[in-house]
Amino acid sequence: MTDLVQFTKDNGIAVITINNPPVNALSPGVPEGISEALDQIAQDDTVKAVVLIGGGRTFVAGADIKEFGRMASGKPRGAGLLPLLLKIEDSSKPVIVAIHGTAFGGGLELAMAGHYRVALSSAQVGQPEVKLGLIPGAAGTQRLPRLAGVARAVEMCTSGNPVKAEEALKFGIVDRLIEDDLLAGAVAFAREVAGKCAPKTRERDEKLGNVADNVQIFSSARETAAKKQCGLIAPVAAISAVEAATKMPFEEGCKVEQKLFIDCLFSQQSKSLIHVFFSEREVNKIPDIPKETPIIPVKSAAVVGAGTMGGGIAMVLANAGLPVLLKEADQAALDRGLATIQLNYANSVKRGRFPQQVAEERLKRITPTLTYDDFSSVDLVIEAVFEGLALKKEIFKELDRVCKPGAILASNTSTLSIDEIASSTSRPDFVIGTHFFSPANVMRLLEIVRGKASSKEVIATCMQLSKSLGKVGVLVGNCRGFVGNRMFGPYRREAQFLVEEGAGIEDVDQALSGFGMAMGPLATGDLAGLDVGWRIRKEYRHLEVPGIRQPFAEDRLCELGRYGQKTGAGWYKYDDQRRATPDPLVTELVRKWVDEAGIVQRQISAGEITDRCLYALINEGARILEEGYALRASDIDIIYLNGYGFPAHRGGPMWYADTVGLKQVCDRVFEFHRQHGEIWRPAPLLKRLADEGKRFADFGKEEGAAA
Ligand code: 3H9
């Protein structure tokens, strides 16, 4: 038996324990170990039943995702899971699978091959493969409908969402919940069923439904997938695989599943989503900040500014259970801010997100104030006032005076220098940027901006805090716009140029949403408020290099009071429900303005639209990476996936560029450089990696990128 699997006996009951920390993934050696244990058990007349359990914090979280790369490159290790699952199911001694933590993917498939499943009530089960661009590949799509019914199996395999133990019991996936001691409960259960005829999941058909109902289930699932998971291969494949379970014998169904699984495994979508899985975890690893770095306890917080961002941040903190002081300069602004927070909570209750009582508890944690009087006791302050350096410096000076030593002073600035802000305090090591994205209580991204002096403890605390706030924290360097907005500038610049050069407004948005972006760049501008960029451009006009082309149509729209959704008009017109319709007036105005500027409009293809917007994003990303403002290309991907609606199945902008091939991306950037001038100068890193036949993903691995 391998080290990864142990086998003991407890008075006639064999206990097989999987020990492959941290999550008992089914890495090579685990299936083999279980198989060997079963062989020994089969020979041992003293054993009457078997318990299969996971050691450590969880049962089995699935196949070892790291192995998929090998499988896709034709070098799989081990015999796969299917033969083992048949062996378990065919065991003449009942196998009881004991579940704690998570039984996900291959873990649930393993469990379903057992004759019975018992679980702690805190456990969860699920088939999350679709989130990796895959479908269950070890008969999950065949056994799950036999246990839980067709509709439930389709739902679980297409959404990938976990199911709590209590529900799993209701659905028939689990046979019994165990209160405290899982092993003792499972062994007791095993004694009850020992010697009795054990059901084989693959032979059960009472939940496979009838043709008429199933036709309905599959067609509505396909419709939903086409709407909500448009362009994704795996959900559709999962539906077909479950459908096969209803139409053919188990063995045939398994063959259909295998073929679909392999198709998905070889797809770029799956490779991209697996990249996202590992990148989301990598983002927490900061080379010069070890895991053991002390964390500053954060038990209370304060937010300065009760506007859209400040109010949203106060909600995020309160939602995570922290008491929050919310400060404004005058009563009217404070009242407005609180009213918005109340409305947001009321809307969440109306939509069924949480009960009224939870909303009230959260609201109670927010204490409005007009003074800094109680700031002396808080552990963390987040400043979220209007984007003006002088004002922010004044506030930080005051915070420095009133806050206790050791309190973290954070700014939610989206453009200003953290070092400049920190310079107004006597403790720049306790100053950091926490850049939330709007709406702060909804968007998952949190850029954590490292100032020159920010201490390691402060950074580690903010990274950990981001998790407890339900955010994805990404550490970035202190440059203008940091990572996300610095890249977003060239992306939106190109969208505007394209309209000025003759592309239709909707054509630009549709090309990018067709690529998979949650929203087109112009509609995004309308949502965020066109005036935001307009004000920033006015403030930084002195930095513009003479002779470098700037887009101007959006500024003209702002001059006409068209700020986007909030004024009922921007690039589009909006009704009182904020539904957009195209506005021919804008097209006409843009044509007139560009005529006056001497720009000759032309037909522009969807391909040119996506290339120009995305390659502008990527070219800037390459500069950021080379300048060391992002730790890794994959960190930039995580920023774009969580803050800017970049499609996960494309893996993020830098990964996407790698999949296109940097040579091709670079050639196109050179072409745009020739056509449109200096703004398109290829980033040196892009050129170098393209010349060397490398990828962004390689950068830093062998070259030691700066942090
Ligand atoms: C599958 O099963 C296909 C089948 O149909 C069979 C086909 C033949 N493999 O997330 P954490 C690592 S597909 C390898 O931070 P948590 C993870 O990278 C799979 N590694 O912990 C991290 O490493 P590091 C279906 C894995 O407590 C460490 O474990 N299953 C795997 O926040 C800790 O992870 C899934 O999709 C894995 N399967 O969350 C489940 N899982 O420390 C994927 C984790 O070096 N996993 N690692 O950064 C999860 O959802 C979460 O990890 C889990 C724990 C909820 C289990």
Side-chain angles (χ1 to χ4, degrees):
M1 203 160 317
T2 64
D3 295 347
L4 302 171
V5 177
Q6 284 82 42
F7 156 46
T8 54
K9 280 194 286 182
D10 174 356
N11 201 13
I13 307 298
V15 178
I16 304 175
T17 307
I18 304 166
N19 268 312
N20 184 23
V23 295
N24 288 328
L26 295 166
S27 319
V30 175
E32 291 79 359
I34 300 171
S35 181
E36 275 174 44
L38 287 172
D39 289 341
Q40 291 183 28
I41 288 164
Q43 308 291 323
D44 187 339
D45 289 342
T46 65
V47 174
K48 304 294 178 216
V50 185
V51 168
L52 176 62
I53 195 166
R57 61 169 149 132
T58 184
F59 182 63
V60 171
D64 186 337
I65 300 170
K66 289 193 251 9
E67 291 297 312
F68 291 142
R70 288 176 192 277
M71 285 168 78
S73 57
K75 296 178 209 135
R77 300 192 295 174
L81 274 179
L82 283 169
L84 169 68
L85 303 192
L86 289 177
K87 187 183 226 177
I88 293 173
E89 209 167 37
D90 288 338
S91 158
S92 58
K93 301 170 186 186
V95 176
I96 294 86
V97 180
I99 303 170
H100 70 300
T102 50
F104 281 174
L108 179 55
E109 290 171 305
L110 177 66
M112 290 191 296
H115 302 101
Y116 302 97
R117 285 146 296 280
V118 298
L120 286 182
S121 53
S122 54
Q124 295 190 328
V125 303
Q127 297 286 176
E129 289 87 345
V130 72
K131 297 188 177 173
L132 301 171
L134 295 171
I135 67 165
T141 60
Q142 308 303 299
R143 285 197 178 89
L144 188 56
R146 287 173 160 87
L147 287 180
V150 176
R152 191 72 57 199
V154 168
E155 210 288 315
M156 284 175 69
C157 293
T158 53
S159 74
N161 291 335
V163 165
K164 293 194 175 116
E166 215 166 289
E167 283 175 289
L169 177 71
K170 254 191 263 160
F171 301 160
I173 303 170
V174 162
D175 299 292
R176 183 179 293 174
L177 296 189
I178 306 284
E179 279 301 312
D180 295 315
D181 187 337
L182 179 64
L183 180 59
V187 169
F189 188 100
R191 291 196 203 292
E192 286 173 37
V193 296
K196 293 188 188 150
C197 177
K200 292 185 187 182
T201 308
R202 71 175 191 267
E203 288 176 359
R204 294 173 60 171
D205 62 4
E206 70 273 15
K207 287 198 175 171
L208 286 179
N210 61 58
V211 176
D213 288 350
N214 288 344
V215 165
Q216 185 57 37
I217 290 168
F218 295 123
S219 77
S220 96
R222 288 195 169 97
E223 237 171 74
T224 309
K227 256 191 240 147
K228 296 196 174 155
Q229 295 163 302
C230 179
L232 299 187
I233 304 165
V236 183
I239 297 168
S240 300
V242 177
E243 191 173 31
T246 66
K247 290 191 166 164
M248 49 189 81
F250 178 82
E251 292 69 22
E252 295 304 311
C254 285
K255 284 185 197 153
V256 171
E257 183 197 80
Q258 268 307 291
K259 186 190 169 308
L260 291 164
F261 174 79
I262 296 291
D263 289 349
C264 290
L265 184 68
F266 280 85
S267 71
Q268 190 53 58
Q269 290 188 0
S270 172
K271 289 181 187 130
S272 299
L273 286 163
I274 289 174
H275 158 75
V276 173
F277 176 85
F278 286 115
S279 302
E280 272 186 358
R281 283 150 183 89
E282 181 101 14
V283 90
N284 297 308
K285 295 170 188 156
I286 303 163
D288 69 329
I289 302 185
K291 259 196 196 152
E292 313 68 63
T293 306
I295 300 294
I296 301 164
V298 176
K299 298 211 168 73
S300 60
V303 175
V304 184
T308 312
M309 286 313 292
I313 295 168
M315 287 174 75
V316 171
L317 296 163
N319 296 353
L322 291 172
V324 193
L325 291 170
L326 179 60
K327 184 191 173 300
E328 252 302 347
D330 65 71
Q331 191 65 48
L334 192 56
D335 291 346
R336 266 199 310 277
L338 270 180
T340 307
I341 292 173
Q342 278 160 348
L343 187 70
N344 284 338
Y345 278 137
N347 281 338
S348 295
V349 172
K350 229 191 275 169
R351 289 194 194 115
R353 293 223 176 95
F354 42 77
Q356 174 69 24
Q357 191 203 338
V358 170
E360 281 166 19
E361 282 164 13
R362 292 178 175 186
L363 196 56
K364 240 192 263 161
R365 289 189 199 118
I366 302 175
T367 307
T369 177
L370 293 172
T371 70
Y372 287 108
D373 289 350
D374 296 322
F375 274 50
S376 57
S377 63
V378 300
D379 302 314
L380 162 77
V381 183
I382 301 179
E383 163 279 311
V385 302
F386 185 72
E387 202 67 351
L389 186 61
L391 175 61
K392 293 202 190 246
K393 285 178 86 164
E394 201 180 294
I395 288 170
F396 271 76
K397 198 166 165 197
E398 189 61 17
L399 291 176
D400 190 29
R401 197 180 64 77
V402 297
C403 291
K404 65 182 179 190
I408 299 174
L409 309 183
S411 172
N412 180 54
T413 179
S414 53
T415 49
L416 302 169
S417 164
I418 292 300
D419 293 334
E420 249 321 298
I421 293 171
S423 71
S424 61
T425 74
S426 63
R427 44 174 130 173
D429 46 339
F430 279 84
V431 177
I432 193 162
T434 49
H435 179 209
F436 288 78
F437 286 70
S438 182
N441 52 321
V442 177
M443 298 299 284
R444 282 183 82 212
L445 178 62
L446 178 59
E447 278 184 331
I448 294 171
V449 190
R450 180 179 200 160
K452 250 199 300 249
S454 306
S455 80
K456 291 184 180 180
E457 288 79 3
V458 167
I459 295 168
T461 303
C462 288
M463 290 298 290
Q464 201 196 57
L465 184 73
S466 65
K467 274 197 200 160
S468 42
L469 299 182
K471 303 288 171 200
V472 179
V474 185
L475 188 66
V476 299
N478 180 31
C479 58
R480 202 177 133 212
F482 314 126
V483 171
N485 283 347
R486 178 170 157 188
M487 287 167 67
F488 206 53
Y491 170 77
R492 286 205 75 254
R493 173 200 76 203
E494 285 306 307
Q496 296 168 58
F497 278 161
L498 285 157
V499 171
E500 291 172 10
E501 289 167 30
I505 293 159
E506 289 163 278
D507 294 338
V508 171
D509 279 344
Q510 276 165 13
L512 273 310
S513 49
F515 172 81
M517 299 296 292
M519 251 181 147
L522 302 170
T524 305
D526 274 0
L527 174 70
L530 301 181
D531 55 321
V532 179
W534 181 44
R535 282 181 220 288
I536 293 172
R537 281 191 293 278
K538 281 197 284 190
E539 192 165 331
Y540 287 104
R541 197 126 282 163
H542 60 283
L543 296 181
E544 284 174 11
V545 181
I548 298 273
R549 180 182 167 197
Q550 297 294 337
F552 61 89
E554 195 164 283
D555 290 354
R556 297 273 178 91
L557 291 176
C558 289
E559 285 159 18
L560 296 174
R562 297 184 72 113
Y563 293 173
Q565 289 194 13
K566 60 182 158 191
T567 57
W571 286 105
Y572 296 88
K573 284 192 285 211
Y574 295 89
D575 64 15
D576 50 8
Q577 304 289 312
R578 295 201 166 194
R579 276 181 303 232
T581 41
D583 190 345
L585 175 67
V586 179
T587 310
E588 224 172 90
L589 283 171
V590 172
R591 197 170 295 141
K592 179 169 154 289
W593 294 332
V594 298
D595 244 11
E596 287 162 5
I599 297 169
V600 181
Q601 292 201 322
R602 63 189 168 93
Q603 286 274 337
I604 297 177
S605 70
E608 179 177 343
I609 293 171
T610 45
D611 281 0
R612 274 181 57 187
C613 292
L614 294 170
Y615 292 176
L617 190 70
I618 291 161
N619 199 34
E620 194 64 29
R623 286 186 204 286
I624 288 173
L625 195 58
E626 188 166 30
E627 290 164 15
Y629 293 111
L631 276 170
R632 294 160 281 246
S634 58
D635 283 15
I636 299 179
D637 290 333
I638 293 302
I639 288 175
Y640 264 77
L641 297 170
N642 290 288
Y644 295 85
F646 202 93
H649 68 275
R650 306 264 193 192
M654 309 314 277
W655 176 264
Y656 170 68
D658 282 346
T659 64
V660 171
L662 294 192
K663 164 101 180 61
Q664 189 176 321
V665 174
C666 190
D667 287 350
R668 195 83 165 116
V669 170
F670 267 110
E671 194 182 325
F672 293 143
H673 185 218
R674 282 192 297 277
Q675 290 166 0
H676 304 283
E678 243 348 77
I679 43 173
W680 272 102
R681 176 168 290 285
L685 179 67
L686 172 63
K687 185 176 176 319
R688 179 162 66 75
L689 294 176
D691 288 346
E692 292 171 3
K694 289 190 178 155
R695 307 172 309 156
F696 286 130
D698 302 320
F699 179 70
K701 301 230 160 101
E702 71 277 61
E703 306 168 55

